[in-house]
Amino acid sequence: RDPANAAFETYGQGCAGSLATPQLGNNGLPQIGSSYDVTLAMAAASSVAAIFSGLSDSIYQGTPLPIALPGAPGCNVLAAPAVTIGKLISATGTASWTLAVPNTAILMGTEVFHQWAVLDAVNALGIVVSDAGKATLGI
């Protein structure tokens, strides 16, 4: 892939919540000097979510990814949670987080990984996760 081309693609699987399996998406492309939204749909209405973002989908602080969440069967952390931002989920089960990409050419081709975690009382841990996304920064 040409690193000059901005791209966003999903990978992996989430785990079932009370409504459905939360779904990660995006609005806009991860372009240098612009912004894009990482979206959440099909989540527990009026709950709380956290967006995990990091620079790896294979390791986090020396631990290989994915990481299984104890007490949450089938739920795995797929993206390094280097940055975690809390968000309120709407009454329709949606949320969004806007990521501003600096206007710095050295970031061209950088991959940023994202995944949502949602508070949902369907398992012992009370958390379900979405699929994950990989944003490749470009122009």
Side-chain angles (χ1 to χ4, degrees):
R1 171 177 307 190
D2 179 356
N5 293 325
F8 194 101
E9 56 190 273
T10 60
Y11 67 94
Q13 303 185 78
C15 54
S18 55
L19 175 64
T21 300
Q23 296 176 352
L24 177 139
N26 70 294
N27 288 323
L29 289 175
Q31 296 177 315
I32 302 296
S34 187
S35 64
Y36 65 97
D37 297 327
V38 182
T39 61
L40 174 66
M42 305 301 290
S46 304
S47 186
V48 176
I51 178 78
F52 300 154
S53 295
L55 298 177
S56 180
D57 66 345
S58 61
I59 195 162
Y60 176 65
Q61 294 185 348
T63 302
L65 295 173
I67 299 171
L69 295 177
C75 297
N76 296 299
V77 175
L78 303 171
V83 175
T84 304
I85 306 288
K87 288 294 196 175
L88 295 176
I89 299 172
S90 73
T92 59
T94 63
S96 182
W97 177 59
T98 301
L99 180 63
V101 181
N103 192 13
T104 305
I106 197 164
L107 296 174
M108 186 82 61
T110 300
E111 295 176 339
V112 183
F113 300 89
H114 305 287
Q115 184 178 25
W116 289 97
V118 177
L119 292 181
D120 194 330
V122 297
N123 56 44
L125 186 60
I127 295 174
V128 296
V129 295
S130 70
D131 52 346
K134 176 175 81 170
T136 303
L137 306 183
I139 55 175

